[in-house]
Structure formats: structure tokens, C-alpha cells
Amino acid sequence: MAHIALFHSVLGLRPAELLAAERLRRAGHEVVTPDLFGGETAVTLDQGFQLVDRVGWAAVVKRARQALRGMPDATVLAGVSMGVGVVAHLWPERPAAARVLLLHATADLPASVRPGLRVQLHAAEPDEFTPPERVAALCQAARERSVDLEVFRYPGVGHFYTDRDLPDHDPAAAELTWRRVLDFLD
């Protein structure tokens, strides 16, 4: 069983993250899904970015940090899109993270990343939030630092392909993603 902190996208804490957390719980994991926007949600990316501006990145990170209080050092850090940015921000403070899961976006490895850490990236291809050069840089950094990185690209799907409530949803790619995530966590 893993302890998992799942950080939501720029659209806020919505059914997509709650359903993902429930799926992980049914597999035997403990999952928290902190509401980084204090109950507010957005319908579009533009509204989401405005929401981040209104709430403030410092408040978002503070709420995420508070959600991690009392969780084991070996908690899995997981982020969905903007949530990957939250993971990237907190990762240096959590060098004992059991694993790191990046959904729909990429992040840079922190200087404190430990060799052997398992990291998994799932992203659409193409996707403006995971351009090839960023993925290549992540892969290169992982090789240089002996990080166990798996990258899964899903051709022809939209950015939020795992979210059944959005037009980007691709049921087959979403199912494959969650099967791979469950294998990664076991």
C-alpha cells in the first residue's frame, strides 16, 4: 500500500481527480486530494489560469504543503497538469518520496533527487504542456542522475485525456494510463 498525495489541475479539484483517487483507494492505497483552490473550479484553461492568479501560487503551494503534514516521508507525489508544478515545487522538500507520478505535464528533476527513484510520466502527444524538448531534457536528466524514469506518450489524444468530463477524454488511453499507474504503485 502506498500513501499518495494527488494534486489537481488548473481546473481545480473536480470529479476527475476524485475518481482517480477512488480508483487508487480501491487498489488498497491511501490517497489525499487537497483542494488547492479552496472550493473554486474552472471550466476552461484560461479560467483556470485566472483562478491560479486570483488564489496565488504561494497559497496553492501552502495548501499543498499543509496536506502533506503528517503524511509519511515516503508519500508518492502525484500531479495532474498544474498539479505537476505543485509536485515540482514540493519535491525538493520531500527527498524520501516513494515515487513521483506526472500526469499531463512534465517537471524538472530537483537537485536533491535520489538515484533509483521511480518516476512515471503520462502525456498526450503532441501536447503543449509536454513538448518533445522538455521530455527529452527530463529523460537526459534522469539518465545522468540514475532516476528510474518511464515515459508514456499517447498519440492523438487531448491534454486532459483521462478526464471523462472533458472533450479531450479518450477512454482507451485513460484506461491504459490507470493500469500502468497501478502497476507503477505496486
Side-chain angles (χ1 to χ4, degrees):
M1 173 195 66
H3 288 68
I4 304 164
L6 178 62
F7 300 108
H8 62 72
S9 78
V10 73
L11 300 178
L13 182 59
R14 300 173 50 258
E17 289 86 4
L18 297 174
L19 289 169
E22 187 53 37
R23 184 175 191 154
L24 297 171
R25 287 184 192 106
R26 283 194 314 267
H29 304 292
E30 283 193 29
V31 186
V32 298
T33 52
D35 185 347
L36 305 176
F37 293 164
E40 293 189 68
T41 60
V43 177
T44 68
L45 287 174
D46 286 342
Q47 291 172 351
F49 292 126
Q50 291 170 6
L51 184 54
V52 171
D53 289 343
R54 190 169 58 255
V55 171
W57 186 251
V60 166
V61 171
K62 180 179 178 184
R63 289 173 179 164
R65 193 174 283 121
Q66 288 170 339
L68 288 171
R69 282 197 189 127
M71 294 189 77
D73 290 343
T75 294
V76 174
L77 301 176
V80 177
S81 195
M82 179 211 73
V84 169
V86 174
V87 167
H89 197 93
L90 297 176
W91 193 351
E93 301 169 15
R94 308 283 296 192
R99 290 178 175 38
V100 174
L101 177 61
L102 311 172
L103 297 162
H104 309 291
T106 188
D108 294 328
L109 297 179
S112 62
V113 69
R114 71 177 187 283
L117 177 66
R118 292 190 65 201
V119 177
Q120 202 174 66
L121 167 65
H122 297 267
E125 185 172 38
D127 188 333
E128 67 180 296
F129 297 104
T130 53
E133 59 276 7
R134 292 263 337 220
V135 175
L138 176 63
C139 290
Q140 179 64 31
R143 281 190 297 277
E144 290 171 359
R145 296 180 181 162
S146 301
V147 169
D148 184 4
L149 172 67
E150 292 180 287
V151 174
F152 297 102
R153 301 301 301 256
Y154 301 86
V157 302
H159 177 69
F160 284 121
Y161 70 89
T162 60
D163 190 330
R164 70 180 189 184
D165 293 330
L166 295 176
D168 286 350
H169 185 238
D170 185 292
E175 182 59 30
L176 181 56
T177 295
W178 290 113
R179 280 200 318 266
R180 287 171 166 165
V181 166
L182 290 172
D183 288 344
F184 172 69
L185 294 171
D186 286 340

